[in-house]
Amino acid sequence: MTMRIYKDDFVNIINSHTCLTEDGKIVIFDPSDYVHFVRNAVKSLGRCSYCGKILPPEKLTIDHIVPQTRGGVTTFENLVPACEHCNGEKGFLTISEYKDYLWLKENLTMRDAEIFMSSVERNMLKGRLNKEYVLGRKEDITFQIIYLPIDAIKVSKKFDYVGFSKSEYRSYSRYLYTYGFLKKPLVVSKNMYLLESKTLYQVAVENGLKEVPTVILDYVYCTDV
Ligand SMILES: [Zn+2]
C-alpha cells in the first residue's frame, strides 16, 4: 500500500542553500532548519503515499508513518506525503493498524472499523504503546533509540524559540507528569546536535531528567554552529 521512501531519494532534491550532500551524507548549516527542510523535501515528492493521488506540494500534508503520539520522529524514514483525506483517516494509527482499519471498513462495516480505532486509542491513552517506545515493530521501520545523558546533546545557538509553543510545552509536561517518560524521543545529528523539538528538550532539562531517549541520525551532520 505504501511506497517506502529512503533518504537516497532526497539526494536530488536537497536545497543547497541549507544542506548539501557528500558521500550520501546530509550536512546542515543550521539545525533549526532541519524539520522545515525535511518536510519540504517530502512534500516535493508530489504524490499521496496511501491513495497515490498526484498533488502539488502545497496540497499535500506530511504523515508520520509511526505517529508522533506513538513515539514517531521527524526523519526521512518516518515521513511520507499524504493527501488530507488519507492523513486524517490514518490519524494516530500505525501502518499495520491502518491496513487493518481499511480492511475492516472494506470487508465488514464502518462500525467495526471505528470500534477497532477506538480500542487502539484507548490503549494509546493509557500510555501502553509508548512505554517501551514501540516504534512500528510490525512495520519495517525501526528507530534505534538509546538513552543518552542529556548533557551530551548540543543545542545550536541558532535554535531559537521560533515555533516554541506554550501549549506544546504544557502538553509535553503533562505527559511526562502522567506517564513518567517523555512523549517522544529526541532526534540528534551524528555529531549530537538537536534536530527536532527544542520544546521537548526544554521540558526534559527543566524536569531534571538525566537521560533522555534519543534517535541519532547517522547520515546527518551539523556544521559547527
Ligand atoms: Zn490519499
Side-chain angles (χ1 to χ4, degrees), residues 47-53 55 60 81-87 98:
R47 172 198 291 267
C48 173
S49 173
Y50 301 109
C51 69
K53 201 185 286 172
L55 289 166
L60 282 164
C83 74
E84 222 164 290
H85 171 79
C86 292
N87 199 342
Y98 186 40

Side-chain angles (χ1 to χ4, degrees), residues 27-182:
V27 180
I28 297 183
F29 300 120
D30 182 350
S32 66
D33 274 348
Y34 176 75
V35 170
H36 186 67
F37 158 69
V38 174
R39 292 177 64 91
N40 279 348
V42 169
K43 279 189 179 187
S44 73
L45 292 167
R47 172 198 291 267
C48 173
S49 173
Y50 301 109
C51 69
K53 201 185 286 172
I54 292 169
L55 289 166
E58 64 274 16
K59 298 254 183 206
L60 282 164
T61 63
I62 298 288
D63 180 55
H64 284 73
I65 299 174
V66 178
Q68 288 187 290
T69 46
R70 312 284 287 275
V73 292
T74 303
T75 65
F76 286 117
E77 292 84 353
N78 194 39
L79 297 182
V80 285
C83 74
E84 222 164 290
H85 171 79
C86 292
N87 199 342
E89 191 176 55
K90 179 172 171 285
F92 51 77
L93 301 177
T94 65
I95 294 279
S96 56
E97 288 163 357
Y98 186 40
K99 282 182 188 166
D100 291 348
Y101 172 87
L102 293 174
W103 187 90
L104 289 165
K105 201 172 84 165
E106 181 80 19
N107 295 285
L108 295 172
T109 66
M110 189 65 205
R111 179 87 188 114
D112 290 298
E114 281 166 4
I115 289 170
F116 169 74
M117 191 181 270
S118 46
S119 76
V120 172
E121 190 177 20
R122 266 200 310 279
N123 284 336
M124 205 180 85
L125 291 174
K126 285 177 192 158
R128 283 185 194 158
L129 295 168
N130 291 62
K131 191 145 196 169
E132 302 298 328
Y133 291 97
V134 180
L135 299 180
R137 274 187 194 155
K138 285 163 79 181
E139 288 117 40
D140 57 353
I141 295 183
T142 50
F143 302 111
Q144 183 80 39
I145 295 178
I146 53 170
Y147 277 77
L148 285 180
I150 197 153
D151 299 347
I153 296 170
K154 293 175 269 188
V155 182
S156 158
K157 287 189 200 76
K158 291 176 187 161
F159 217 137
D160 58 21
Y161 281 83
V162 176
F164 182 88
S165 134
K166 278 185 182 164
S167 65
E168 195 180 50
Y169 187 92
R170 274 197 300 272
S171 137
Y172 288 149
S173 300
R174 203 179 307 124
Y175 196 95
L176 178 64
Y177 181 75
T178 308
Y179 300 115
F181 49 91
L182 290 181

Side-chain angles (χ1 to χ4, degrees), residues 184-200:
K184 57 181 186 165
L186 293 167
V187 182
V188 300
S189 64
K190 175 93 174 172
N191 52 346
M192 306 299 280
Y193 275 99
L194 184 68
L195 294 176
E196 191 195 356
S197 197
K198 176 84 187 274
T199 312
L200 188 68

